[in-house]
Amino acid sequence: MQHRIIPQPNLLDYTDGICPAERAVPVVETDEAMPPEGYALAVRPDGVTVRCKTPQGLFYAKQTLSMLQNENGSLPCVSIQDAPRFAYRAFMLDSARHMQTIDEIKRYIDVAARFKMNVFHWHLSDDQGFRIECERFPKLNEVGSFRDGHGFGSSDTSRYGGFYTKAEIRDIVSYCADRFIRVIPEIDMPGHTKAILASYPSLSCRETPIAVETQAGVFRDILCAGKEEVVSFCCDLLDEVCELFPDEWVHIGGDEAPKNRWRQCDCCKDRMAKAHLDSFEALQGDFMNRIAAHLRTKGKRAVAWNESLKSGCLDGDVIIADWMDRDKLCPARANAGGEIIAEDFFHYYLDYPYAMTPLKKVYTFDPLPEGLTEMGRPGVIGVETPLWTEFIEDFEKLCKMAFPRLLAVAERDWTYEENCDYADFRRRAEESRPWLQSQGVVMDPQSAWDPKGLSRLKKLLAHYKKTLTRDMLLSFFSKKDD
Ligand code: ACM
Ligand code: ZN
């Protein structure tokens, strides 16, 4: 027997018979012994029973039932006991480089919810745009939400931008809550802040006016970590952001922050002396800790990209987003009791072509980093799949990049290794096509899912194994292959 359920349930047995459509209405029984997101499903010829502890468990049982259903509404008789491998099953969307409409974001959320993901990490501030309506700092919208040009290699220099209103953001948060999805906003700092600095130049070390960035990359102009004014700005901004996002976690970035400006800045050096910090990386740790401390006073926890661990002094309760951890600081953090989200660049970044990250590579990757001890393993709380949009301007391309790879991540998030089977997953992904199409989501044909590597790309990856940066790959993909 074959079904088209994604993610594959962790325990599924077929029993004899069919439950006709008129009897396929589930009777729900609350079972306090079930795991919070788990459910048990019994489909018999005379009816359907769902056992679960929470409304979230019931929601997942319903997703499974809708994928089990035959075209005439009948159900094959089965017994399912299911619960996720990871508690944190996330998708990240970059709405800073290119924006999506609220309707498009809802469609993306609908797909993620169907495949039992439960966290939406929303990247809303970067060098190329600030995307949240802000009353306390109006220039973030007047200046920081717009750039002169679509950018990223395009010759179109017309004004591009906008921001999501508070009402739109509340609508998305409530839409997600109805689907048991948490929303974690990201305000990236101290790097990736050119849109903020274009709005308020006094927040930089040099205070020189700059424009909102129009190209992809990592830029030297970042927030000054020495001025008290910057810390208060970030805390005030986060206060306003937190009013919109009720989730307990807030992502404060911390990736790709070059220290060139800090090295030349008296304010930064004064802070280092005052706080007894022995390096500019430690200054970043100090900065992140000050912001995390403010969030703590509001009952919130900070999430940060793994570069912030280089400081050696990041507070232990900051959750680490592990995207490119060359120094292997993430397993050490988990082994010491910290929490890690696995979002490996080479496997889970959906904005790179299938030639670099084929479906099979996504699916067969073990999300647990090497070097975890038995004690450290539960520190990896889940998996996240980011989608950056420097080179993704429209929803059609976004969908092609995301699907079916996001489905592969959703399965690896939920299903234990021993129940994962790539060939069977490919078949089920293909069988998801009609439902995805009904949501306006178009996938490329199966022949595009596992292409042979591009010759130039293979050479690049082999040559720069240890030193490859996102910048180099972005520039590679803006050129044509030979
Ligand atoms: C990142 O990709 N810079 C987190
Ligand atoms: Zn400075």
Side-chain angles (χ1 to χ4, degrees):
M1 289 273 259
Q2 286 186 332
H3 62 74
R4 57 189 156 81
I5 306 165
I6 296 178
Q8 167 72 35
N10 280 302
L11 200 78
L12 180 151
D13 286 316
Y14 286 98
T15 51
D16 287 340
I18 291 277
C19 175
E22 64 275 15
R23 300 222 175 112
V25 182
V27 172
V28 181
E29 292 172 3
T30 304
D31 182 345
E32 291 298 328
M34 295 291 288
E37 297 189 284
Y39 66 94
L41 190 60
V43 180
R44 301 171 311 272
D46 64 344
V48 178
T49 310
V50 171
R51 273 190 303 116
C52 54
K53 180 175 178 178
T54 64
Q56 193 171 359
L58 177 59
F59 180 79
Y60 295 144
K62 286 182 178 169
Q63 304 309 319
T64 296
L65 273 171
S66 80
M67 294 182 205
L68 201 57
Q69 205 152 38
N70 299 315
E71 265 171 23
N72 63 5
S74 67
L75 292 165
C77 289
V78 287
S79 163
I80 292 177
Q81 294 263 1
D82 204 11
R85 176 181 179 194
F86 290 111
Y88 183 100
R89 305 181 300 279
F91 55 104
M92 189 218 86
L93 181 61
D94 170 9
S95 296
R97 273 57 174 269
H98 283 104
M99 294 181 75
Q100 304 78 31
T101 66
I102 293 296
D103 176 61
E104 288 164 349
I105 295 171
K106 285 183 177 173
R107 277 193 272 160
Y108 204 60
I109 292 165
D110 280 337
V111 179
R114 178 167 172 90
F115 298 101
K116 302 190 177 86
M117 287 184 148
N118 64 359
V119 182
F120 173 24
H121 164 192
W122 200 1
H123 186 81
L124 286 161
S125 174
D126 214 301
D127 296 303
Q128 298 84 357
F130 185 87
R131 303 289 174 225
I132 305 175
E133 179 182 3
C134 185
E135 279 161 48
R136 177 89 167 75
F137 302 108
K139 286 193 179 162
L140 288 177
N141 297 136
E142 290 158 21
V143 177
S145 295
F146 295 89
R147 61 178 183 252
D148 289 329
H150 287 230
F152 310 108
S154 147
S155 55
D156 184 346
T157 54
S158 57
R159 199 165 133 92
Y160 176 92
F163 54 89
Y164 300 106
T165 64
K166 292 192 181 208
E168 286 172 329
I169 290 170
R170 289 204 172 97
D171 182 30
I172 289 290
V173 169
S174 130
Y175 196 81
C176 283
D178 289 346
R179 288 155 183 77
F180 301 95
I181 292 177
R182 302 162 53 184
V183 187
I184 300 178
E186 180 184 352
I187 307 295
D188 205 342
M189 59 182 81
H192 287 288
T193 40
K194 285 188 80 174
I196 294 176
L197 297 178
S199 314
Y200 296 99
S202 65
L203 301 174
S204 67
C205 294
R206 302 193 304 180
E207 306 193 3
T208 40
I210 57 168
V212 178
E213 183 56 54
T214 60
Q215 301 304 317
V218 174
F219 301 97
R220 291 179 175 189
D221 288 307
I222 69 173
L223 293 172
C224 175
K227 292 179 190 157
E228 290 306 309
E229 178 201 350
V230 174
V231 176
S232 352
F233 169 89
C234 292
C235 294
D236 291 348
L237 174 60
L238 286 173
D239 285 350
E240 195 168 331
V241 169
C242 288
E243 280 171 23
L244 294 169
F245 294 93
D247 197 81
E248 197 194 323
W249 294 7
V250 179
H251 202 309
I252 55 172
D255 58 325
E256 298 180 320
K259 308 297 183 294
N260 308 61
R261 301 288 182 253
W262 291 4
R263 284 189 204 105
Q264 309 295 324
C265 173
D266 288 341
C267 297
C268 283
K269 288 183 206 160
D270 284 351
R271 175 68 200 171
M272 284 173 71
K274 192 168 160 213
H276 309 291
L277 304 166
D278 60 7
S279 70
F280 289 95
E281 290 299 345
L283 179 58
Q284 175 167 334
D286 172 68
F287 177 81
M288 303 301 280
N289 285 345
R290 295 177 87 188
I291 306 300
H294 178 71
L295 289 171
R296 220 173 280 125
T297 65
K298 304 170 71 69
K300 306 242 180 199
R301 280 180 75 185
V303 185
W305 297 109
N306 61 255
E307 287 96 318
S308 294
L309 284 179
K310 288 188 195 166
S311 63
C313 61
L314 193 69
D315 285 347
D317 66 340
V318 176
I319 300 133
I320 304 300
D322 173 5
W323 76 283
M324 199 180 280
D325 178 27
R326 290 206 165 100
D327 304 321
K328 304 282 174 236
L329 300 175
C330 289
R333 175 86 163 186
N335 293 342
E339 286 177 307
I340 304 293
I341 303 160
E343 33 197 307
D344 184 70
F345 169 82
F346 291 102
H347 296 87
Y348 295 142
Y349 270 42
L350 298 180
D351 45 316
Y352 289 89
Y354 284 73
M356 171 176 147
T357 314
L359 183 63
K360 186 172 185 181
K361 184 173 171 188
V362 179
Y363 189 87
T364 53
F365 180 62
D366 177 4
L368 298 181
E370 278 175 27
L372 289 173
T373 59
E374 214 43 51
M375 294 285 281
R377 198 167 297 176
V380 181
I381 56 170
V383 177
E384 174 166 319
T385 187
L387 197 150
W388 302 94
T389 57
E390 287 96 330
F391 297 103
I392 301 184
E393 286 185 33
D394 61 71
F395 194 62
E396 192 182 329
K397 176 159 185 203
L398 190 150
C399 289
K400 286 189 174 180
M401 299 309 271
F403 307 114
R405 291 187 292 191
L406 180 137
L407 275 49
V409 181
E411 179 144 312
R412 294 305 305 256
D413 269 355
W414 181 280
T415 307
Y416 285 87
E417 175 94 39
E418 60 271 27
N419 301 323
C420 290
D421 174 332
Y422 181 59
D424 190 60
F425 168 76
R426 265 183 77 102
R427 176 190 60 75
R428 285 177 284 121
E430 181 57 33
E431 289 186 24
S432 307
R433 192 182 291 279
W435 182 85
L436 288 166
Q437 255 160 3
S438 74
Q439 306 299 300
V441 166
V442 177
M443 290 194 294
D444 271 339
Q446 277 195 66
S447 57
W449 297 355
D450 285 304
K452 299 269 175 282
L454 304 174
S455 58
R456 234 164 29 89
L457 175 62
K458 271 191 173 166
K459 277 187 213 149
L460 184 86
L461 288 175
H463 190 71
Y464 290 106
K465 218 170 180 173
K466 288 266 184 283
T467 52
L468 191 73
T469 62
R470 272 195 88 220
D471 255 7
M472 287 159 70
L473 279 162
L474 288 170
S475 115
F476 174 87
F477 289 120
S478 60
K479 297 186 191 97
K480 286 238 170 313
D481 189 49
D482 43 21

